Structure formats: structure tokens, C-alpha cells
Amino acid sequence: FQRRALLEWDTPALVPAYESASQTNPDDPLVHFTAGRLFGLRGEGDLAERAFARGFALRPNDAEGRLNYAAFQLQRGRSDLARDALEALRKFGTEVPGMLRLEAALAMREGNRAAAVAFLRKYLGQRPDDEEARRMLEQAAQ
């Protein structure tokens, strides 16, 4: 579903594919989280919101789902909702790959370069090969 959605489908093709996948696997929250992320990448905010909501109804404490939801909200300019999603994620008590990087992006969006630098340094301590994060750090440190 995800591979074909990224490589082959536009939004009108993705909608029935998502509905078909959710009927085939009605209790699989990953179907909904994946669709939410894909709809979000396409700028389909309402469709993404509904898909994420269906996923969270099945698995409210899904860490990857929350991280993807936060990234979606940040992408659409909703820093408040991104921050809420990250707060919920912190309460789970698990370290999710990419969370620090997303925290840094949120800090940058809010103009808090010092916090962004701190998040990125910590993140790069865990993942030193992430070149995009290095570029973000250079930008934040300027």
C-alpha cells in the first residue's frame, strides 16, 4: 500500500486504495497511520486528520503514529498541534527515532534557535550520520 502510494498513485487513486486496505485490515492502525502520513504529504489535511483519528482510535499510544502526526501538523503550519502531539509522545516514556529532530524543527519554526541547536546536538549524538540534521544544525547555529 505505502510503496504503491508513493510511486504510482495520486490522491484520487489513494482514497479508494486506502478504503480497500482499511476494509481488508480493519483492526490494523498502521493502515490508517500510513494513509494519514501519505495524505499529509500530499497536502490533503482533512483526509489525513480522519485517517490519523481512525488509527488513534485503534491504538491511542502508538509512538510512530504520534510522531508522524506531529510531523504532519508541523508541515501544515500547526505548531500548536505538533507540540501537543510531541507532549503526548513524551508521556509514553519511549524514545522514538526522529523525535529530537522534529523537536528541533518545531523550535526553529518558533524562532528558538538555542533549543533547536540543543535538540540537534543530542540527536546527532545518537545518529551522527544524518546529513540533513547536520545541515539543520548549521542553519540553527547561524
Side-chain angles (χ1 to χ4, degrees):
F1 172 71
Q2 181 176 343
R3 181 180 50 76
R4 289 193 65 201
L6 288 170
L7 299 176
E8 301 171 25
W9 298 331
D10 57 7
T11 299
L14 182 57
V15 171
Y18 166 52
E19 288 307 317
S20 175
S22 64
Q23 288 173 5
T24 302
N25 301 298
D27 297 326
D28 186 353
L30 296 180
V31 169
H32 306 294
F33 293 138
T34 300
R37 188 167 54 82
L38 293 169
F39 285 135
L41 289 171
R42 286 179 163 63
E44 299 290 343
D46 291 339
L47 292 171
E49 287 283 359
R50 286 195 296 272
F52 277 116
R54 288 175 73 182
F56 291 131
L58 293 168
R59 191 180 301 156
N61 295 337
D62 188 280
E64 287 295 323
R66 290 283 169 197
L67 187 65
N68 284 322
Y69 184 74
F72 158 65
Q73 294 299 349
L74 187 61
Q75 172 192 339
R76 72 192 301 214
R78 294 296 311 265
S79 297
D80 57 332
L81 295 176
R83 181 161 304 289
D84 290 348
L86 289 172
E87 276 300 315
L89 192 53
R90 274 198 259 341
K91 290 178 184 176
F92 299 160
T94 60
E95 185 69 28
V96 180
M99 184 173 167
L100 290 168
R101 192 170 140 184
L102 191 56
E103 294 263 23
L106 182 59
M108 285 290 288
R109 167 115 358 130
E110 294 175 340
N112 189 344
R113 290 181 179 270
V117 167
F119 285 128
L120 287 166
R121 286 187 176 145
K122 186 174 179 184
Y123 173 77
L124 285 166
Q126 299 169 353
R127 292 194 164 42
D129 295 334
D130 188 330
E131 292 302 318
E132 185 178 341
R134 287 199 183 287
R135 286 190 293 277
M136 286 174 66
L137 179 58
E138 289 172 11
Q139 182 183 5
Q142 292 179 353

